Amino acid sequence: MKLKHVDSGSDGVRLETTEGIMHISFCTPGIARIRYTLDSELSGKQSLVVVSRPEAEGVLWTVADHPGHLEISTALLAIQVDKLTCAFSYWDANGKLLTKEPVRGGKTLVRTEVYHTVFDDSADKVETDQGADGLRARAEGINRRLDRQAYHTKLEFEWQEGEALYGLGSHEEGMMNLRGQHQYLYQQNMKAVVPVLVSTRGYGILVDSYSYMTFHDDAFGSYLWTDVDEEMDYYVIYGPEFDQIIGGIRHLTGEAPMLPKWSYGYVQSKERYISQEELIATVQEYRDRSLPLDCIVLDWQSWTGNLWGQKTFDPERFPDPSEMMHSLHAMNAKLMVSIWPIMGAGGDNHQEMSEHGFLLGNQATYDAFREEARELYWKQADTGLFSHGIDAWWCDCTEPFEGDWKGAVKPEPEQRMLINTAESKRYLDPGFINAYSLQHSKGIYEGQRAADTGKRVVNLTRSAFAGQHRYGTITWSGDIAANWETLRKQIADGLNFCVTGSPYWTLDIGAFFVRNHKEQWFWNGDYDEGVADFGYRELYVRWFQLGAFLPMFRSHGTDTPRELWRFGEEGELMYDTLVKYLKLRYKLMPYIYSMAGAVAHRKYTMLRALAFDYREDVRVHDIDDQFMFGPAFLVAPVTTAMYYGPGSRELHGVGKLRSIYLPDGEWYDYWSDERIKGGLTIEATADLETLPLFVRAGSIVPVGPDVQYADEQPEAMIGLKVYSGLDASFTLYEDEGDNYNYENGSYATIEMKWSEADRTLTIGKRSGSYAGMPAVRQFAVEITGNAGRCIVTYHGEPIAVREEDLKR
């Protein structure tokens, strides 16, 4: 491929080559958009992912013609195009190579025909069954018809030595650094695709494609491949720091809205609470035991009988939904309810969708790509559930077509890909099979926002896509199984999800499947006795410790109960340890909610791979079992058994230590305040009561009182603990805790700064205000290494606390 002609216009640079047209434009000085087609003109497709595409004339860029290459550059980013091969290379403003295509060129388009399946609309042509993953409906198409011509696209790179890559979403394999790996990118239970890569060399790549994709960095090459696209369309985003790259991704794909404060508290779930009475009694038990709780979850089958997916309450088990919600709210608890995109025949929800022609070919799953269908789905959810006062959605099975959750043997990865993508393509346009959850989430968000601005949207989804975060979603990792290997792999899965710009990820604490059913490959937990097994109790405690440092803190699963008192009683090690970390989560609520404010207002990420903060330290690149939780905490979950094996078999001779790498700098052991030099691997105490937890020197951590729910004491004294050693800063964020008034400026921030040289903490002037804001606050200041503390009364004006002000 050779460069033939260059046309520089107001919307970017058009490159005519011997094999098609390429186009380069800039959304910001650090974000380039590249498109490529073999057609005579670029497509005019409307992106489902990118919501902000400023015209290129808003960015200053230049074109320089060199003997062997063309250079298109801004103040931050330069793209060099080889005139002989049209190979691209990407450089920063200092002349550092970020990444490049092979010298021969790295863009390939192959024409492909796109077909759609034609179905017989009669119901007797649909086969339905119910498995571990809910209702499934399947229809055989009567024929396939040619819909259009499109392309397979292939985008090749030559990654650099020592470069680490992260992203692509949450998958079950536990891959951390994606170098040397291969990943299939299609939506499925335990697979949540986000087509973003982020590199330690300081750039990210967002591919604007919704079809099945693959990533390779193996013997077959280093590339991203897409199955069906109108053209190649991708973005290169310069950082160089990960937070800056994430900022660029959200500039393109939209901001993450505030979730309500309660959603950062503890969420109790299981499969399943079957009645109004049981839901209320469970919350009452938490209150009677003084165990903090913010939300309880009603899993599948809120509906009557076998009307799967009907968005109403069964009147026998939930005789008065509005009174149920009144009772739960009176105990300061919220309710999340599971809803499904698939609906069984016989219910009025299904009938209404069918009458409007809004069902896909299986005559059961609604077409979330149609705006009118999304509006009807929301109307049904509002009438049957939201109107009674429920607080949050659990949009289960948002990758609605699967074909491999059956049988005793797990299909091979390539078999799984073929089975599942074929099943999705049967009912969905092949170019859009990865975007169902994105559109489904859009309908819920826009519907609730239009109906009630007093409640922020909370939507727990099992699938995800780029841009979905703008709809108030949290993605969980699917129906995982209870064993130590899975626990460990989940950490890398969550970190790679959040590095894509999607900030909210969680998991089933204790795993969904606990027992082992040999006839079903996915039901492969190690603990047939469930919560009675001390081996499972130990695993659950370690999972719970991890969960306390995730964006959403949530227990869920089948086979065995999950409430805290099922794991022992007060005075017993397992129970007391669970209570310790439950209360720690609430103690850290001012810190956590301030991070939530930073997510919404400053494009922050709270669940952070170590490369966020230590990008150039090659020793962190492959660490898959440690992470930063916000700016202060380094979390090192324990992922091996130390006390019991399955069947309550007691283990002997197992050390109670955990090897941890502390990056450069100084650190404090959270439990002892011992100061430790970084840049080293240490052996940390890791008995059952102790999650290895470290705080970075140069941190300010705000902490709150013991509370039973997140909003219990909004005027309570806030502790400020300074971890000295370096200058530090922290922004305390507060708002009304729910509603969208913050979008109009109804929130307050307080900038806090620690000067190491002066040994002084300055609490700055409060900026902003909100309804119900305390006019006066009290802060209790502590400094590591000093046994005293100082209580100051704050009226919103700057106040300085010197170390000598602390009194023992």
Side-chain angles (χ1 to χ4, degrees), residues 316-357:
E316 291 188 10
R317 293 178 294 117
F318 304 95
D320 193 339
S322 295
E323 177 57 31
M324 174 180 71
M325 293 312 307
H326 176 76
S327 298
L328 292 172
H329 289 163
M331 291 187 284
N332 299 292
K334 311 296 184 183
L335 179 67
M336 174 184 286
V337 177
S338 167
I339 57 175
W340 297 63
I342 189 170
M343 287 157 266
D348 56 16
N349 283 184
H350 178 275
Q351 181 179 343
E352 192 176 18
M353 284 285 181
S354 180
E355 288 173 351
H356 283 83

Side-chain angles (χ1 to χ4, degrees), residues 494-561:
L495 295 176
N496 267 323
F497 182 84
C498 289
V499 83
T500 64
S502 303
Y504 291 118
W505 180 90
T506 189
L507 45 66
D508 292 348
I509 291 174
F512 185 75
F513 296 113
V514 176
R515 304 176 191 273
N516 190 289
H517 291 190
K518 295 188 183 301
E519 68 277 10
Q520 294 174 298
W521 62 261
F522 45 83
W523 209 313
N524 63 333
D526 285 347
Y527 305 95
D528 288 337
E529 296 177 8
V531 76
D533 189 328
F534 279 88
Y536 179 65
R537 291 189 183 191
E538 179 187 355
L539 174 66
Y540 188 89
V541 168
R542 296 303 196 185
W543 224 308
F544 197 85
Q545 290 171 341
L546 166 62
F549 290 89
L550 295 179
M552 175 174 268
F553 183 26
R554 166 187 166 273
S555 174
H556 179 66
T558 192
D559 295 335
T560 196

Side-chain angles (χ1 to χ4, degrees), residues 464-494:
F465 202 64
Q468 186 172 295
H469 61 266
R470 64 181 179 255
Y471 300 131
T473 57
I474 308 112
T475 297
W476 98 98
S477 59
D479 296 342
I480 53 179
N483 54 65
W484 290 96
E485 180 185 10
T486 298
L487 170 58
R488 181 185 176 95
K489 287 179 176 179
Q490 287 286 286
I491 301 169
D493 293 340

